[in-house]
Amino acid sequence: MTKKRVVLTFPTNQVSQPISYHLVKDYDLMLNILRGNITPNEEGRLVIELSGKKQSLDAGLEYLKGLGIEVESLARDIKWHENKCTHCTACIPTCPTQAMSVDRESMEVSFSKERCIACELCIPVCPFKALEIQF
Amino acid sequence: MAKTIQEINDKIKKGKAVVVTAEEIIDIVKEKGARKAAAEVDVVTTGTFGPMCSSGAYFNVGHTKPRIKLGGGTSLLNDVPCYTGLAAVDLYMGATAVQVNDPKNSVYPGDFRYGGAHVIEDLVAGKSVRLKADAYGTDCYPRRELDTLIRLKDMNEAVLFNPRNCYQNYNVAVNLSDKVIYTYMGRLLPRLGNANYCSAGQLSPLLNDPLYKTMGIGTRIFLGGGEGYIVWNGTQHNPGVKRSKNDTPRFPAGTLAVMGDLKQMSPEWLKGASFTGYGVTLTVGIGVPIPILNEQIVRYTAVRDEDLVAQVVDYSKNYPEVVPGSIAEVTYAQLKSGSIELSGKTVPTGGISSYNRAKTIAGLLKERIQEKQFYLSEPVAGLPSVDADIQFKMLNERPAKQH
Ligand code: SF4
Ligand code: SF4
């Protein structure tokens, strides 16, 4: 089983396509919608988690791209602006994966892209907008 | 032998002063003892970098041609309202003011993306801000409208003037309820999901001079990257709380009112902060030098995080409803370790004040003194201490007569 979190950007004419039906039925994937922002006749965005066999996952993503949907992996989407960070540590207790962590000696905060699952829990917590969602 | 501030300044001038930070002094006193340490060390530098709501700046923006009387009218800087109840072109921008069109908490929890503190930060960064004003017009100040860009360097004076900064100790905030709450102590997760604290502990200025033996009116300080002064005790200054054996307060106690030339300051040490669901505030960098005049003072500066305690307070009910009582007493060493034990639960801790930045400030102040760029000043009057008999008052509401 492989899991992947992706951001889908839909062109206006694609919004009404029943993509979730096809992903589930034709590609045997499980689909979990994490965030959605779609209004008819406008460009829309969906953040989804797909899980299934690695092969089916790749095929499913190819199918989406074939429809003209832009597919981006989510891990890239949280940016830590080091120059804005004051190392206050307010975000530390909220981060479920320790992507944000502190060196307890210097009390310096650092961010690990690899560990970040882009859950966005830290976004409203940072008073200095040092953590940003990048769609 | 006791030293004087004058003697210390002479040493600074000769490049012979021994200056260490409030972190470094801990081991020096431990190894050499207080007596030797007091003889050898001349200055201990402290630091803090945390949100301080009772902050703001006043400006004299210069007269227009024809003249306008902003006083008594409406003035906005980047859409954030200033206080105009002053003379014609003097304005005060408070840190917590929010933009006129901000939805605040009507879309809960509000983002509070931009407010007075951000205006101050932008000005200090050298940016132009938009000054938009309406005035009522008089014979001597006929103009009624103004809409212009303005920078800090265009102004006659720009002075940071903070009525309450540098709290001597603070609460640790937790949430005992079943839902997330948004406070000035950050987001607090339900059922003791996290515990947030807000003090630089062993580096914090007033925790290193617990009885205000050296800090007073006229003490020169590092303020927002520039130089400033302690000008009064801060509002809510409450020295009479319970104290530990080392004389440090176990509860929030003393505070400082500080002032300094905004034009000297830097956006690195004066930062607008947005607390989701709460509002805007200014994060202020302050460093206070402590002259080591005697053995008692050096002993005070050697205080360690393990010797400093704070009260854990529930912000879901007890704080808003003013129900006295603390859930537990914890040390700053425990808080800084990353978690504390509360009611048999391991609760992760988060900081609101940056220890890392406090350390940088103490280091910067140390450097400035060593490089003869910063001399100590003699306070002209002390701050009210434990013997001042100050009572911390709640507002006694007396309903006005109904008509
Ligand atoms: S998005 Fe989630 S995982 Fe990533 S840093 Fe923020 S809290 Fe941690
Ligand atoms: S809350 Fe923001 S400023 Fe504070 S440590 Fe985290 S990223 Fe840095």
Side-chain angles (χ1 to χ4, degrees), chain A residues 80 85-91 100 109 126-128 130-131:
Chain A
W80 176 55
C85 175
T86 68
H87 304 267
C88 66
T89 75
C91 55
M100 296 302 303
V109 168
C126 177
F128 304 98
L131 290 153

Side-chain angles (χ1 to χ4, degrees), chain B residues 244-293:
Chain B
S244 302
K245 274 206 200 83
N246 59 20
D247 290 337
T248 59
R250 310 167 89 92
F251 295 81
T255 63
L256 302 176
V258 301
M259 205 165 174
D261 180 6
L262 199 63
K263 293 189 185 191
Q264 289 179 23
M265 298 185 192
S266 111
E268 201 186 342
W269 302 114
L270 223 43
K271 266 189 187 308
S274 302
F275 279 81
T276 302
Y278 175 72
V280 173
T281 184
L282 186 67
T283 297
V284 186
I286 295 182
V288 184
I290 298 180
I292 302 303
L293 304 175

Side-chain angles (χ1 to χ4, degrees), chain B residues 76-118:
Chain B
L76 307 174
L77 286 171
N78 281 354
D79 280 334
V80 184
C82 298
Y83 179 70
T84 61
L86 299 165
V89 292
D90 284 348
L91 300 171
Y92 185 85
M93 173 56 83
T96 68
V98 293
Q99 282 180 313
V100 279
N101 54 0
D102 192 301
K104 301 180 188 169
N105 265 345
S106 59
V107 191
Y108 177 84
D111 287 338
F112 301 96
R113 292 192 75 78
Y114 193 90
H118 299 97

Side-chain angles (χ1 to χ4, degrees), chain A residues 78 94-97 99-100 111 115-122 131:
Chain A
I78 296 289
T94 13
C95 179
T97 64
M100 296 302 303
F111 173 65
R115 286 207 210 128
C116 177
I117 54 162
C119 67
E120 298 175 15
L121 285 171
C122 56
L131 290 153

Side-chain angles (χ1 to χ4, degrees), chain B residues 115-398:
Chain B
H118 299 97
V119 172
I120 294 170
E121 181 185 342
D122 280 348
L123 282 169
V124 170
K127 291 186 189 160
S128 288
V129 303
R130 184 176 178 184
L131 167 60
K132 214 167 165 283
D134 289 314
Y136 54 80
T138 73
D139 291 339
C140 43
Y141 292 90
R143 197 156 160 190
R144 290 173 183 235
E145 274 174 17
L146 178 64
D147 191 349
T148 179
L149 293 176
I150 189 166
R151 288 162 304 187
L152 204 57
K153 65 174 176 190
D154 303 325
M155 300 177 182
N156 288 314
E157 290 83 16
V159 182
L160 188 75
F161 181 19
N162 304 345
R164 179 173 72 249
N165 280 180
C166 253
Y167 237 119
Q168 187 179 28
N169 211 347
Y170 214 76
N171 297 335
V172 180
V174 295
N175 174 7
L176 292 178
S177 79
D178 290 328
K179 65 176 203 0
V180 180
I181 59 168
Y182 294 86
T183 74
Y184 66 88
M185 293 294 284
R187 181 173 61 184
L188 300 173
L189 302 171
R191 297 173 293 276
L192 296 172
N194 60 326
N196 285 0
Y197 64 100
C198 190
S199 170
Q202 63 191 15
L203 274 174
S204 172
L206 284 172
L207 289 176
N208 281 280
D209 184 9
L211 297 177
Y212 331 106
K213 299 264 186 205
T214 68
M215 294 176 202
I217 296 168
T219 298
R220 188 177 296 126
I221 60 172
F222 172 108
L223 179 60
E227 241 175 51
Y229 293 88
I230 296 173
V231 293
W232 207 256
N233 61 265
T235 54
Q236 295 182 21
H237 181 71
N238 187 22
V241 302
K242 282 203 194 82
R243 290 178 183 254
S244 302
K245 274 206 200 83
N246 59 20
D247 290 337
T248 59
R250 310 167 89 92
F251 295 81
T255 63
L256 302 176
V258 301
M259 205 165 174
D261 180 6
L262 199 63
K263 293 189 185 191
Q264 289 179 23
M265 298 185 192
S266 111
E268 201 186 342
W269 302 114
L270 223 43
K271 266 189 187 308
S274 302
F275 279 81
T276 302
Y278 175 72
V280 173
T281 184
L282 186 67
T283 297
V284 186
I286 295 182
V288 184
I290 298 180
I292 302 303
L293 304 175
N294 57 48
E295 216 176 297
Q296 184 193 33
I297 291 170
V298 85
R299 213 173 282 127
Y300 281 147
T301 61
V303 76
R304 301 166 310 163
D305 283 330
E306 12 319 32
D307 311 320
L308 293 166
V309 297
Q311 309 301 319
V312 181
V313 173
D314 166 46
Y315 273 63
S316 69
K317 183 162 180 287
N318 288 15
Y319 183 83
E321 301 297 333
V322 201
V323 181
S326 139
I327 295 167
E329 194 170 76
V330 292
T331 70
Y332 280 96
Q334 289 165 328
L335 289 164
K336 274 171 64 191
S337 76
S339 64
I340 54 175
E341 298 294 319
L342 292 176
S343 336
K345 203 177 157 180
T346 304
V347 182
T349 56
I352 298 297
S353 173
S354 170
Y355 186 85
N356 179 274
R357 286 301 186 256
K359 198 159 139 167
T360 309
I361 289 171
L364 280 173
L365 182 56
K366 170 180 156 174
E367 260 171 50
R368 286 188 191 180
I369 297 171
Q370 285 170 333
E371 284 163 12
K372 307 176 204 181
Q373 289 161 3
F374 190 108
Y375 286 89
L376 306 192
S377 67
E378 193 97 47
V380 291
L383 300 172
S385 191
V386 282
D387 49 7
D389 195 29
I390 289 178
Q391 302 295 330
F392 185 72
K393 289 190 279 289
M394 294 295 290
L395 175 64
N396 176 21
E397 292 177 67
R398 292 176 297 127

Side-chain angles (χ1 to χ4, degrees), chain A residues 14 18 23 29-30 36 40 48 51 64 66 77 85 90 102-103 107 132:
Chain A
Q14 218 71 61
L23 288 172
L29 295 170
M30 286 203 304
I48 57 171
S51 41
L64 292 173
D77 292 327
C85 175
V102 202
D103 173 313
M107 292 304 277
E132 198 192 11

